Amino acid sequence: MPREHLLKIGVSGVRGVVGEFLTPSLTLSFAQAFGTYVGGGRVVVGRDTRTSGPMLQHAVHCGLLAAGCDVVDVGVLPTPTMQIYVEHIRARGGIGLTASHNPPEYNALKLFNAEGQFFNHYERNELLDLYHQRDFAQAQNAAIGHVRRDDGTAKSIHIGRVLAKVDADRIKRRKFKVALDAVNGAGSVMTPEFLTDSLGCRLDAISIDPTKVFPRIAEPRPDTLGDLTALVQKSGADVGFAQDPDADRLAIADETGRVVDNDDVLALAVLRALAVVPGDVVVNLTTSSAIDDIAKTFHRRVYRTPVGEANVVDTMRAVRAAIGGEGSAGGVIFPAVQLCRDSYIAMAFLLDLMAETGQTVSQLVASLPAYTRNSGKVPFTHGRLGGLMQALEEGFPEAEADRSDGLKLIWPDRWLHVRASNTEPLLRLAVEARDGERASALYDTAWKLLTSL
Amino acid sequence: MRGDSGLRISPVGLRGIVGRGLTATHFLDFAAAFGTFIERGRPVVVGRDPRSSGRMAREGVVSALMACGHEVIDLGVVSTPVVQHALQRLDAAGGIAISASHNAAEWNALRFLGANGTYLSTAESNELLDIYHLRKFRFVEWDSIGTLREDATAIERYIDDLEQVFDFAALRGMRVVVDCCNGTSAPTLRRIVDRFGLDLVLINERVEGDAFAHEPTTSARMVELQLGPLIQPLQARAGFLFDIDSDRVAMADDLGRGVSEEMMLPLLADHLMTHTPGRIAITNLSSSALLEEVAAKHGGRVVRVPVGRQAAMDALAAYRPEQIAVAGEGTGAVMMPQFRFIYDGIASMLAVMTMMRERGQTVREILASYPRFEILKGEIPLESPRVPALLMDLQDDYPDARIDRSDGLRVSWPDRWFHVRVSQTEPILRVICEQRGEAPSALFESLMDKVRSYS
């Protein structure tokens, strides 16, 4: 495995392989930098179900107490739930210990501001500088705060906000049969009661034991959700839901067990959200053009951002968007609940659409604007990226070029996006077109160009 | 030169003023060094005194130990002796007591304990320090990380251990006043009162973290100041004052007068050697020569070693436990073999009470039966480079005496002695001088003059 995989300290926080790389010492220092940055007061700390979570949480507590903060320990909790709670109790900020969809040997610190949102680009840089400068606040004895546990309230606050944006009675009347795979993650402590008690679903669940390790690859993708497909087929469920370890992302299986494309999951959420609240849509450059078509029917604009949740969130905040997300990553961001990826509003929106239209999941997906998408990865050598991008742009002089994140080339009926991965020496190539053959042709041409250089 | 932060990283452990030199990272990294040092497979026990900074230190210590793959058992706010007792009961590989003991509230420290509950030996401490400085900690992978559990029964089990040694029923009705100084002695003593009906009058009993009722110094002056006015009105037989983690105790007599901390060791040696004659008493070069007289009375003898806990631990390891009657310092810190050779103020108090009951005498009456020694102590700031020349010079001044150079310079005659040494904690030279009968004023003044001439 390349070395850059193992530890990354950057503007999005700290992430790495626990043990030799992501150590408790480093975690403590980052937490103390965070406590210094927010200037004392209450900080919410929670985690997903990784085995390293409790150990790292103690290090985070230590750093926060040393900086003069009080800690509110919410234990195992979905990331969006934690973010909502930070804002609800008017804390100075929050730290979530979760490496999201990364494998179990990883962990990371997600940092939230007083609104329970990601810090903006400038704040993230300031925090990183503070971490490197190591000029931390150092509380003396009488200024050391307390660690307080709160197990109860956060979940009901989150669920309450979600229910306010859907017709829960309509959903309950349908008594949907739902299959769930929570990957033994943070969703395990909340999703079953959300689906059964709040939405009246009949539940058939697997992997909802938060004390156990992840039984599958943590990222919910078609090739990792074989168990969910089997569960849907066995139990005859109307729909299958799969979460990642911190329950911010959602994957959906239709009533046949087929895993729905993440772009279509987002498109259905946008469809529902624009019917409920006013505002525009923000998605990343790699998200399907189906979003543009849907927004057009509501007379709404679509803003495109570089890939990355933080980039989408920054723009959503700036334009007061109604909804946003990243098709490729399976994240639905609905600010009326909270400005963060939230699998719960995504589940509720889909069930609400099903209840309203009486359609099955496969029928709903089929009703979306039809596009064909192709994507793949190309290894590249550092230092050659500029030349590759230049060659691509010159190879398609008739296309409109967007250079804000790698290179996106846009035609009226199709587009191509190439960008370097943040974590690996790989180029990610994505192509979309209305016509399947044109998509394949464009993908093959671009692939040849990239690999021939 | 050591600054005002008081930060000190040494074989004895880690200590300093929290937030002013002593940081969260120090706590976590030092605990990680300990987690790397001790064997895996058996639990590690953690306890802390009530200082507020202990909440912070505890989080870092727990995290580091878990990261090294250890099961951590947290005893919560308990005295250092309680942690030491729990180690054997829980079959632990080692323990960490988070406590600055008799220092002011702003201080904190880590004390490292081996599997048997005693402090680490010099060799072990040096190895631990090397690991800390190298910072190559043995953090385990994600699927081997340790767990944490809490044990709230430690105080009760510790009292069970006390009950094996002391006849509590016999101590009922002996009223003593105790100043807990808002420390960890309070919950233990309250439980002893409830369980055995002892007549202990407790003051400053509320356990506090931000500040204490007074400096937690276990000196004769402090105990007289705090308990002097209470003892006679309450018709108490004695008064005791504990530091924050109750490893030390100071004592006042039935008239409310502070008893010199120097007297605790000879007193307990007398008591213990009465039951086990012919054994050894281990102490340092600076404590009262009364100990030699007491030991001789019971056919025992005294082994003197350099000042500091480390030297005492190494000396203890050089003898079989059944050869030793007692070990301790002139500060009032005493270890007893029945109690696994740990400094334990509560055990010392119970031993003194037992001695009073057995002899039917007060501490004042017992001390009056001992030969009189007068001790004089002084300290003078001195630049370290000049110390060796001064000590050579002093040694040459007294060709007729017995010389011990194992820790500074100790010069002794049959009826008097003096000890000049560099403090381990401050840039000062300590001068201690004792004589049977009259105070050795002339000798003391000439020593102080000599030291001053070098400063």
Side-chain angles (χ1 to χ4, degrees):
Chain A
M1 207 193 289
R3 179 103 183 169
E4 61 253 51
H5 256 205
L6 302 177
L7 179 68
K8 192 170 176 74
I9 299 173
V11 290
S12 358
V14 184
R15 191 198 54 200
V17 172
V18 173
E20 207 182 327
F21 302 97
L22 180 57
T23 63
S25 320
L26 195 154
T27 306
L28 183 160
S29 293
F30 215 87
Q32 197 169 358
F34 180 88
T36 304
Y37 189 69
V38 302
R42 281 190 299 175
V43 175
V44 175
V45 184
R47 59 187 156 88
D48 69 18
T49 56
R50 282 161 208 276
T51 53
S52 59
M55 178 273 284
L56 290 175
Q57 191 169 351
H58 287 295
V60 166
H61 290 177
C62 184
L64 290 171
L65 291 175
C69 296
D70 282 302
V71 174
V72 184
D73 170 13
V74 292
V76 172
L77 212 58
T79 295
T81 316
M82 208 186 309
Q83 293 183 247
I84 289 164
Y85 186 68
V86 168
E87 183 205 2
H88 182 83
I89 67 163
R90 299 176 189 283
R92 290 285 180 84
I95 297 180
L97 283 154
T98 169
S100 201
H101 60 279
N102 287 116
E105 63 269 27
Y106 281 81
N107 216 328
L109 274 66
K110 283 191 178 177
L111 311 175
F112 311 119
N113 68 13
E115 283 77 46
Q117 301 168 4
F118 287 106
F119 287 102
N120 71 33
H121 179 73
Y122 307 100
E123 293 170 318
R124 290 197 294 270
N125 274 313
E126 282 172 12
L127 179 57
L128 190 61
D129 287 345
L130 188 59
Y131 167 74
H132 286 126
Q133 287 157 7
R134 301 207 152 244
D135 186 17
F136 306 147
Q138 304 281 1
Q140 293 196 32
N141 184 59
I144 300 279
H146 290 81
V147 178
R148 186 172 64 78
R149 281 273 326 183
D150 186 345
D151 295 311
T153 50
K155 287 183 271 187
S156 57
I157 295 161
H158 184 185
I159 291 171
R161 285 197 189 180
V162 169
L163 295 181
K165 296 298 170 190
V166 295
D167 188 339
D169 289 337
R170 178 164 79 188
I171 298 170
K172 275 186 182 166
R173 279 196 296 275
R174 293 289 306 273
K175 296 188 172 58
F176 288 117
K177 178 116 197 206
V178 176
L180 169 68
D181 172 358
V183 71
N184 293 332
S188 309
V189 304
M190 178 161 142
T191 317
E193 65 177 83
F194 170 70
L195 290 170
T196 55
D197 299 352
S198 305
L199 296 174
C201 298
R202 292 168 295 143
L203 186 65
D204 205 347
I206 54 171
S207 308
I208 52 169
D209 184 345
T211 65
K212 292 213 165 73
V213 296
F214 308 152
R216 57 160 160 90
I217 291 174
E219 186 173 4
R221 297 185 311 237
D223 61 315
T224 65
L225 297 180
D227 290 345
L228 180 68
T229 297
L231 182 64
V232 169
Q233 288 164 351
K234 190 186 76 175
S235 64
D238 299 303
V239 61
F241 293 130
Q243 294 171 304
D244 73 340
D246 70 329
D248 62 342
R249 294 192 192 198
L250 182 72
I252 290 171
D254 69 15
E255 72 281 2
T256 71
R258 192 185 73 86
V259 178
V260 176
D261 193 308
N262 278 333
D263 275 286
D264 292 334
V265 174
L266 179 61
L268 290 171
V270 170
L271 193 62
R272 186 70 219 143
L274 292 181
V276 180
V277 295
D280 291 325
V281 183
V282 179
V283 293
N284 70 25
L285 288 169
T286 298
T287 302
S288 172
S289 299
I291 301 294
D292 302 77
D293 300 342
I294 293 166
K296 204 170 285 170
T297 66
F298 288 92
H299 309 288
R300 295 296 181 188
R301 229 185 117 174
V302 176
Y303 294 85
R304 296 269 173 183
T305 73
V307 172
E309 185 187 7
N311 296 317
V312 176
V313 165
D314 278 358
T315 304
M316 289 185 72
R317 191 158 34 203
V319 305
R320 297 170 169 277
I323 186 159
E326 297 184 279
S328 47
V332 172
I333 305 170
F334 184 59
V337 169
Q338 177 69 350
L339 189 55
C340 65
R341 278 206 290 243
D342 181 3
S343 64
Y344 293 90
I345 192 64
M347 284 187 268
F349 273 160
L350 182 73
L351 293 169
D352 204 19
L353 263 179
M354 290 162 65
E356 183 194 39
T357 61
Q359 292 186 312
T360 64
V361 176
S362 62
Q363 287 168 336
L364 286 168
V365 170
S367 71
L368 291 169
Y371 286 90
T372 299
R373 290 180 280 274
N374 279 325
S375 64
K377 297 171 186 174
V378 189
F380 77 100
T381 318
H382 284 294
R384 305 222 27 218
L385 196 54
L388 285 174
M389 295 294 187
Q390 195 67 36
L392 260 186
E393 193 171 349
E394 284 164 4
F396 301 102
E398 75 285 4
E400 179 198 332
D402 182 335
R403 284 279 206 162
S404 58
D405 181 15
L407 176 66
K408 187 175 183 183
L409 297 170
I410 305 159
W411 296 263
D413 64 332
R414 64 195 194 279
W415 55 259
L416 173 160
H417 187 203
V418 181
R419 58 183 285 274
S421 161
N422 284 331
T423 51
E424 304 160 84
L426 288 174
L427 283 180
R428 294 182 190 278
L429 168 63
V431 162
E432 187 185 70
R434 283 202 188 277
D435 179 79
E437 283 179 23
R438 297 201 72 173
S440 300
L442 180 58
Y443 184 84
D444 291 343
T445 312
W447 178 271
K448 273 181 203 139
L449 226 161
L450 289 172
T451 50
S452 68
L453 285 167
Chain B
M1 199 163 99
R2 289 160 206 140
D4 65 350
S5 75
L7 178 67
R8 189 168 164 83
I9 291 170
S10 72
V12 177
L14 168 74
R15 57 157 239 182
I17 297 176
V18 174
R20 249 178 58 193
L22 180 56
T23 66
T25 297
H26 284 123
F27 286 117
L28 189 143
D29 282 356
F30 226 117
F34 188 66
T36 302
F37 168 72
I38 53 169
E39 58 175 299
R40 252 179 271 164
R42 288 189 292 159
V44 180
V45 174
V46 174
R48 62 182 177 91
D49 78 20
R51 286 174 171 82
S52 297
S53 63
R55 290 193 292 269
M56 177 269 282
R58 178 253 186 198
E59 296 290 334
V61 165
V62 166
S63 179
L65 293 173
M66 289 173 79
C68 291
H70 297 291
E71 180 195 1
V72 182
I73 302 177
D74 182 11
L75 307 182
V77 176
V78 295
S79 69
T80 301
V82 166
V83 177
Q84 294 176 293
H85 274 257
L87 282 168
Q88 223 157 31
R89 172 173 62 86
L90 298 167
D91 191 26
I96 299 181
I98 304 165
S99 172
S101 197
H102 56 281
N103 290 113
E106 294 73 28
W107 292 71
N108 219 326
L110 295 186
R111 303 158 151 223
F112 299 99
L113 306 164
N116 52 5
T118 59
Y119 313 100
L120 302 184
S121 71
T122 304
E124 290 169 324
S125 299
N126 286 332
E127 192 183 333
L128 173 63
L129 196 58
D130 288 343
I131 296 170
Y132 171 77
H133 284 132
L134 201 58
R135 283 196 165 69
K136 289 244 185 286
F137 306 135
R138 197 182 53 191
F139 293 133
V140 298
E141 296 192 14
W142 66 280
D143 52 357
S144 308
I145 291 168
T147 53
L148 169 68
R149 73 182 160 97
E150 285 168 19
D151 180 344
T153 68
I155 290 176
E156 205 64 31
R157 300 288 79 78
Y158 164 72
I159 296 173
D160 291 346
D161 284 356
L162 289 174
E163 196 184 8
Q164 299 299 311
V165 176
F166 297 106
D167 183 357
F168 281 108
L171 299 177
R172 270 185 218 138
M174 181 189 294
R175 171 172 292 183
V176 300
V177 190
V178 180
D179 181 352
C180 302
C181 195
N182 308 118
T184 50
S185 61
T188 306
L189 294 175
R190 176 54 59 194
R191 186 65 196 125
I192 287 174
V193 168
D194 291 345
R195 201 165 139 182
F196 302 108
L198 260 54
D199 190 4
L200 309 178
V201 181
L202 306 184
I203 70 164
N204 295 322
E205 189 186 352
R206 210 170 82 172
V207 176
E208 298 275 0
D210 289 350
F212 308 129
H214 55 81
E215 288 286 302
T217 319
T218 49
S219 65
R221 189 190 59 79
M222 185 62 83
V223 69
E224 185 167 311
L225 195 70
Q226 296 297 324
L227 299 180
L230 299 176
I231 287 171
Q232 287 197 71
L234 288 168
Q235 295 181 309
R237 302 288 298 282
F240 295 92
L241 177 145
F242 290 95
D243 67 347
I244 300 305
D245 70 337
S246 59
D247 64 342
R248 291 190 184 186
V249 65
M251 184 169 48
D253 67 17
D254 57 316
L255 299 179
R257 286 188 312 220
V259 174
S260 165
E261 47 269 40
E262 287 284 348
M263 288 299 113
M264 185 62 89
L265 179 59
L267 198 61
L268 290 180
D270 190 11
H271 172 59
L272 295 164
M273 286 175 155
T274 303
H275 296 278
T276 57
R279 288 195 185 183
I280 299 165
I282 294 173
T283 188
N284 63 44
L285 297 172
S286 275
S287 65
S288 173
L290 173 59
L291 188 61
E292 270 84 355
E293 306 237 357
V294 166
K297 189 173 79 180
H298 298 292
R301 67 188 174 93
V302 178
V303 173
R304 288 193 181 266
V305 297
V307 174
R309 197 172 63 200
Q310 222 59 66
M313 294 317 300
D314 292 346
L316 282 172
Y319 297 92
R320 290 194 307 278
E322 61 270 21
Q323 291 180 284
I324 303 165
V326 68
E329 306 172 345
T331 55
V334 174
M335 305 190 227
M336 296 180 267
Q338 303 89 325
F339 259 73
R340 305 175 187 166
F341 296 115
I342 61 173
Y343 292 131
D344 184 336
I346 289 176
S348 293
M349 178 187 85
L350 292 169
V352 170
M353 290 172 70
T354 302
M355 186 185 192
M356 289 197 288
R357 186 194 62 80
E358 284 177 2
R359 301 197 178 187
Q361 287 178 301
T362 64
V363 166
R364 179 172 50 88
E365 289 159 350
I366 297 168
L367 291 177
S369 71
Y370 294 157
R372 183 174 151 218
F373 281 80
E374 288 293 335
I375 199 160
L376 296 171
K377 300 181 183 182
E379 53 186 50
I380 292 172
L382 187 64
E383 298 283 334
S384 306
R386 311 209 60 189
V387 173
L390 164 67
L391 296 182
M392 284 307 291
D393 192 358
L394 270 177
Q395 181 177 344
D396 291 345
D397 286 351
Y398 303 98
D400 61 318
R402 220 182 115 213
I403 303 294
D404 187 329
R405 290 298 306 266
S406 59
D407 177 18
L409 173 67
R410 189 178 195 266
V411 175
S412 54
W413 297 266
D415 62 340
R416 62 180 177 157
W417 59 272
F418 74 82
H419 187 202
V420 178
R421 59 180 286 272
V422 179
S423 163
Q424 289 176 355
T425 52
E426 296 159 274
I428 58 170
L429 208 71
R430 295 188 193 282
V431 178
I432 302 175
C433 186
E434 192 188 50
Q435 182 167 272
R436 195 182 167 124
E438 295 299 308
S441 306
L443 176 61
F444 181 72
E445 281 314 318
S446 73
L447 287 169
M448 293 295 277
D449 286 345
K450 186 85 170 201
V451 174
R452 272 188 215 104
S453 74
Y454 274 80
S455 69

